[in-house]
Each structure stands twice: as C-alpha cells, then as structure tokens.
C-alpha cells in the first residue's frame, strides 16, 4: 500500500494526509456506487476532521448526506439560511446602489454594516469545524475566514481613503456571488433538495471568482500601502516601555506575500472538492 503521511491538505490542514509513496490513483466512482464507501475516509485525506462530530453522526459517501443529530442539522439549516439571506440582501443593495447612482463611489459605505455583520458571523464556521459538525479542515476554513475578516476590519474598515477603490468592488462582487451560491448549496443539501444548477454553480463559479476575489483583495491592500506608511497606523515604534516594535506596513507586505503559498492550496482544495462532488472521483491508496 502507498504510504500516507500526516500533513495538511495540500499542505494546509494538519489532519490531512498526502501521498509520500507512489502517486494516488483517481477512481471515477458514481456517488451512489458501493465503491464510494472508500470515500468515507476522504475527510481524512482531505484534511477534514471527519468523523469527530456530535453524537449520532456518521460519515457517508459523497453525494449522500452525513447523518447529523437534529440539533446540529437545525442549527446549520438556520445558519445557512441566515447567511444566504444576508448575502442576498448585500447583492440587492449593491445592484440598487449602482443602478441609482451609476458609480461605485460610496458603494462600500452604503453596504458596510451588512457586510461586516455577515462576514464576521462567518467566524462560526471555524467553530463548526472545531466541534466537528461540518467535515471541513479547521485550517482551510481558518485561512479562508481570517483573510476575509482581515480584509473587512483591518483594511477596508480602517483605511477610509481606499474604500472607493475599484478593487473593493472586485472582491465584494466575488465574495457575494460565492457566498449566495455556497450557503444556498449547504441549505438545499441539508434539506435534501439540492437543485443540480446550485451544485454545479458551487463547484464551478469559484474557478473564476477565486482569482477575481484574490486580485481585488491584493490590489486593495496594495492601494492601502502608501496611507499606512504615511500615517504609521497600527504600528508600534521603539522606544517604548515594552521594548517591542511592530510595523503594519511590513505586516501588509508579508500578508500579501503569504497569498502566494496559501491561495493555491485553497484553490486546489476546491478543485479536488469539485472532482469529488461533480465527477465522483476519489483518491484511494494504491497497492505497490
Ligand atoms: C490575519 C491575516 C490573515 C491573512 C491571510 C492571508 C492569506 C490568505 C490567502 C487566502 C486568500 C483567500 C481569498 C478569498 O477571500 C477570496 C475569495 O473568497 S474570492 C471568492 C471565491 N471564493 C470561494 O469560492 C471560496 C471558496 N471557499 C470555500 O468554499 C470554503 O471557505 C472552503 C473552506 C475553502 C471550502 O469549503 P469546504 O471544504 O467546506 O467544501 P465544501 O463546500 O465542498 O464542503 C465540504 C463538506 O462540508 C459540508 N459543509 C461545509 N460547510 C457547511 C455548512 N455551513 N453547513 C452544512 N454543511 C457544510 C458540505 O456540505 C460538505 O459535506 P459533504 O461532504 O457531506 O457533502
């Protein structure tokens, strides 16, 4: 058997496994075929916390819903409906703003409260992973959610002069379309009535929207650099009584650089999810 080593999924999730031996074999499996049972281990391969969930929960083949306890199902259904609604409200507000004003200037200011509320609410997703009611890697989710929180609070909210940059619209649109699709996908899945086009959209839109969103985020941070350098905001200079120094300008440069190793991991994670869900493929251990 090929050897599996403990590693983050695609290098991210600490519980994930990746091949140290011969390359994995991709087996196209029908989501309903018995062979799909092999994917019960897929959460481990994927860096999810698989299996460790509230009492009564079982891991099942992709395409079949995992069995969750009623409390977890009720909570997740409520959470996903609320998030779908929140991002829909945001989408409608953005379209209305643009139709009325004919410009993106002032758009962020007009939607910021809703954006901050729903994006911050998404911190619960890390908790969902930690307590095991969703089979996703804590690290993958942590990187995804924390980068958004960072963009919302430490960049766009804190640096007013950049709020009217076109790049802000770029990531706002990418996030909004993604989240409406993603949360409605989860909602319909939980209700066992998932229309194919939502599933298709969930696992195809990201191919374009992820790079668009990342470009918007990076351009926005880049636009913030001169202001941060000039004002020295969030920076701690020496000498001070704690004898520590922190330069937010360099922190931003490091953050921008960290997209280079981190973003591909999220992107490839989604590509693997896509292959698994849309094409029923599963990575299995190969006999030597
Ligand atoms: C402090 C400074 C930090 C700075 C960090 C700097 C580095 C940052 C680099 C990263 C850049 C990210 C940029 C990003 O913000 C840009 C954008 O988002 S642009 C818009 C495009 N974006 C996307 O498409 C986002 C895609 N991301 C996601 O979908 C998730 O966040 C992710 C965690 C990446 C993947 O999700 P997951 O692994 O959960 O995939 P699935 O949806 O296939 O779900 C797997 C199973 O889990 C069940 N699940 C998950 N969540 C729920 C839920 N809420 N309710 C119910 N069920 C849920 C799902 O149904 C699947 O279950 P099953 O296998 O049983 O079907």
């Amino acid at each position: 058997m090929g050897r599996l080593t403990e590693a983050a999924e695609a290098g991210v999730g600490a519980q994930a496994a990746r091949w140290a031996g011969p390359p994995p074999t991709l087996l196209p499996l029908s989501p309903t075929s018995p062979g799909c049972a092999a994917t019960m281990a897929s959460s481990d391969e994927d860096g999810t916390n698989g299996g460790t969930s509230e009492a009564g929960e079982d891991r099942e083949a992709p395409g079949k819903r995992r069995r969750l306890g009623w409390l977890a199902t009720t909570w997740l259904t409520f959470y996903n409906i609320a998030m779908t609604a929140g991002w829909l409200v945001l989408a409608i507000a953005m379209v209305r703003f643009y139709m009325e004003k004919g410009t993106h200037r002032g758009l962020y200011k007009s939607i910021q409260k809703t954006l901050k509320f729903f994006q911050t609410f998404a911190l619960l997703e890390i908790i969902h992973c930690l307590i095991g009611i969703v089979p996703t890697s804590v690290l993958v989710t942590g990187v995804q959610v924390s980068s958004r929180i960072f963009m919302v609070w430490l960049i766009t909210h804190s640096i007013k002069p950049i709020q009217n940059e076109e790049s802000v619209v770029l990531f706002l649109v990418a996030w909004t379309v993604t989240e409406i699709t993603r949360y409605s996908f989860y909602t319909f899945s939980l209700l066992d009535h998932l229309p194919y086009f939502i599933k298709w959209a969930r696992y195809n839109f990201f191919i374009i929207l992820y790079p668009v969103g990342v470009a918007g985020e990076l351009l926005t941070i880049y636009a913030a650099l001169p202001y941060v350098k000039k004002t020295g905001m969030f920076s701690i200079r020496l000498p001070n009584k704690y004898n520590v120094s922190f330069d937010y300008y360099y922190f931003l440069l490091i953050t921008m650089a960290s997209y280079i190793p981190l973003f591909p991991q999220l992107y490839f994670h989604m590509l693997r999810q896509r292959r698994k869900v849309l094409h029923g493929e599963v990575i299995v251990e190969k006999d030597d």
Side-chain angles (χ1 to χ4, degrees):
M1 292 290 255
R3 238 172 354 101
L4 287 167
T5 55
E6 284 297 313
E9 183 196 29
V12 178
Q15 303 132 307
R18 70 174 159 75
W19 282 91
T25 310
L26 283 176
L27 296 182
L29 295 175
S30 143
T32 49
S33 76
C36 269
T39 56
M40 286 171 75
S42 70
S43 64
D44 296 323
E45 288 162 9
D46 282 347
T48 67
N49 50 7
T52 57
S53 47
E54 90 162 18
E57 181 183 338
D58 259 348
R59 300 290 300 136
E60 287 186 359
K64 277 189 170 183
R65 292 297 311 158
R66 291 167 303 116
R67 283 193 297 277
L68 287 170
W70 69 268
L71 189 59
T73 307
T74 308
W75 163 250
L76 284 177
T77 307
F78 165 79
Y79 173 80
N80 290 313
I81 290 175
M83 294 301 264
T84 311
W87 286 94
L88 265 172
V89 166
L90 213 61
I92 294 166
M94 289 200 289
V95 172
R96 278 186 59 181
F97 182 93
Y98 196 78
M99 285 172 67
E100 278 168 20
K101 311 270 185 221
T103 172
H104 70 281
R105 302 187 77 76
L107 172 72
Y108 174 81
K109 201 169 172 210
S110 78
I111 53 100
Q112 60 174 331
K113 279 198 185 124
T114 319
L115 173 72
K116 285 171 190 164
F117 181 82
F118 286 99
Q119 189 52 63
T120 308
F121 206 47
L123 278 170
L124 286 176
E125 269 161 58
I126 301 176
I127 306 209
H128 294 160
C129 301
L130 278 171
I131 60 176
I133 59 173
V134 301
T136 309
S137 154
V138 176
L139 272 173
V140 172
T141 307
V143 171
Q144 172 69 58
V145 175
S146 59
S147 68
R148 294 272 193 94
I149 297 286
F150 169 76
M151 281 308 300
V152 167
W153 287 106
L154 295 178
I155 300 288
T156 330
H157 163 77
S158 306
I159 307 172
K160 306 252 176 314
I162 53 139
Q163 290 176 353
N164 286 329
E165 293 285 329
E166 279 96 346
S167 54
V168 172
V169 182
L170 218 54
F171 75 71
L172 282 181
V173 170
W175 291 8
T176 306
V177 177
T178 299
E179 301 305 41
I180 292 169
T181 318
R182 187 164 77 94
Y183 290 117
S184 49
F185 167 84
Y186 296 144
T187 305
F188 286 118
S189 299
L190 284 165
L191 299 174
D192 269 332
H193 282 88
L194 178 62
Y196 184 76
F197 79 90
I198 298 222
K199 182 168 162 178
W200 183 91
R202 161 73 181 134
Y203 291 105
N204 279 294
F205 282 5
F206 80 90
I207 295 172
I208 302 290
L209 292 176
Y210 235 158
V212 169
V214 164
E217 292 173 27
L218 286 174
L219 288 169
T220 305
I221 303 176
Y222 182 74
L225 289 173
Y227 178 85
V228 171
K229 191 166 196 172
K230 195 174 85 190
T231 59
M233 65 183 287
F234 296 156
S235 300
I236 306 168
R237 305 251 183 261
L238 288 170
N240 59 62
K241 68 175 175 179
Y242 302 107
N243 210 22
V244 287
S245 84
F246 173 76
D247 195 319
Y248 191 49
Y249 177 80
Y250 288 106
F251 176 79
L252 291 187
L253 291 180
I254 293 167
T255 300
M256 288 174 82
S258 72
Y259 274 67
I260 298 168
L262 293 176
F263 170 59
Q265 315 221 25
L266 293 175
Y267 197 70
F268 285 114
H269 168 80
M270 287 306 296
L271 285 175
R272 270 189 295 276
Q273 291 292 88
R274 178 178 187 271
R275 287 211 308 266
K276 218 160 68 176
V277 177
L278 292 186
H279 305 296
E281 289 178 359
V282 59
I283 298 172
V284 295
E285 294 181 45
K286 186 182 154 201
D287 285 340
D288 287 332

